[in-house]
């Protein structure tokens, strides 16, 4: 996942995030909280509170750090793929690449590890917002200024990634995430 802060529009500080191999469900990436799924991810300090999305390699969950009470997103490999070394290596490489990509507009990797069942996972800050695909469906057509602003943000993130040797292989609107800037949010 890569993130770009769009600094070209003072009136709308947006964050565009590129999600890796995650397909959103319904209205953006909002969590679908299922009482049955609210459980502790065994062997970790995280409680799963809902599903954000799922792709070919794994699932991204809305979660909470139990001791700190902070919202996070946890990407974990599907159980059926957990024994495949190539899949575990791919997730590890993804997490390491993001962790070493020092750019203010790229989402941070907060943690990496293995659950007690052996499945690798990594943890990112929890985003609030929606995918670019959902935004386009709701507001088509975008103004020229909006479209240029979004494209600049995406290209900025991709340039930062490419400069670090990272190539995103699947850029498309359902994997681009828009959310308010952290400083625009009110803390409760």
């Amino acid at each position: 996942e890569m993130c770009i802060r769009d600094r070209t529009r003072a009136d709308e500080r947006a964050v565009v995030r590129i999600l890796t191999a995650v397909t959103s469900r319904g209205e953006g990436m909002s969590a679908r909280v299922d009482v049955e799924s609210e459980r502790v991810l065994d062997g970790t300090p995280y409680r799963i509170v809902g599903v954000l999305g799922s792709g070919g390699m794994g699932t991204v969950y809305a979660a909470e750090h139990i001791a700190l009470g902070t919202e996070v997103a946890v990407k974990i490999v599907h159980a059926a793929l957990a024994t495949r070394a190539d899949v575990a290596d791919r997730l590890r490489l993804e997490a390491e690449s993001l962790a070493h990509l020092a750019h203010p507009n790229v989402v941070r990797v907060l943690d990496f590890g293995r659950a007690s069942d052996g499945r690798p996972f990594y943890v990112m800050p929890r985003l609030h917002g929606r995918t670019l695909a959902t935004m386009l469906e709701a507001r088509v057509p975008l103004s020229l200024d909006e479209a240029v602003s979004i494209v600049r943000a995406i290209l900025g993130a991709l340039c930062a990634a490419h400069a670090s040797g990272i190539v995103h292989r699947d850029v498309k609107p359902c994997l681009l995430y828009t959310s308010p800037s952290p400083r625009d949010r009110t803390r409760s």
Side-chain angles (χ1 to χ4, degrees):
E1 176 176 311
M2 291 179 281
C3 164
I4 316 93
R5 187 172 318 276
D6 177 358
R7 293 192 173 126
T8 61
R9 299 190 56 185
D11 60 330
E12 182 179 311
R13 293 183 199 101
V15 176
V16 176
R17 299 193 186 255
I18 302 172
L19 301 178
T20 56
V22 176
T23 305
S24 68
R25 297 178 181 204
E27 190 64 27
M29 296 289 288
S30 59
R32 305 289 187 269
V33 178
D34 175 358
V35 175
E36 302 261 344
S37 71
E38 188 159 325
R39 61 181 173 77
V40 173
L41 183 57
D42 290 335
T44 77
Y46 304 103
R47 178 183 4 264
I48 303 298
V49 296
V51 176
L52 294 175
S54 186
M57 186 167 76
T59 301
V60 178
Y61 293 98
E64 175 185 46
H65 188 285
I66 296 167
L68 301 176
T70 55
E71 289 184 298
V72 295
V74 176
K75 182 173 184 176
I76 189 164
V77 170
H78 291 307
L81 301 174
T83 59
R84 288 187 41 191
D86 63 319
V87 173
D89 285 344
R90 186 171 154 200
L91 189 76
R92 180 192 50 75
L93 181 62
E94 183 178 307
E96 284 178 2
S97 296
L98 290 171
H100 291 97
L101 183 55
H103 190 278
N105 298 324
V106 174
V107 71
R108 296 179 336 265
V109 171
L110 305 173
D111 194 8
F112 178 82
R114 288 188 181 265
S116 60
D117 64 3
R119 292 187 297 157
F121 68 90
Y122 69 84
V123 180
M124 306 162 282
R126 168 75 165 92
L127 305 177
H128 295 275
R130 57 190 176 159
T131 66
L132 180 59
T134 302
M135 188 176 104
L136 291 173
E137 290 168 9
R139 297 178 53 200
V140 173
L142 292 175
S143 72
L144 180 59
D145 286 345
E146 288 173 311
V148 168
S149 177
I150 290 168
V151 169
R152 278 189 177 150
I154 295 165
L155 292 176
L158 292 173
C159 285
H162 291 179
S164 295
I166 300 168
V167 176
H168 194 294
R169 301 176 300 167
D170 195 22
V171 179
K172 55 189 174 187
C174 67
L175 300 180
L176 300 172
Y177 195 83
T178 63
S179 67
S181 169
R183 66 180 154 197
D184 293 339
R185 279 191 233 134
T186 325
R187 290 185 174 198
S188 25

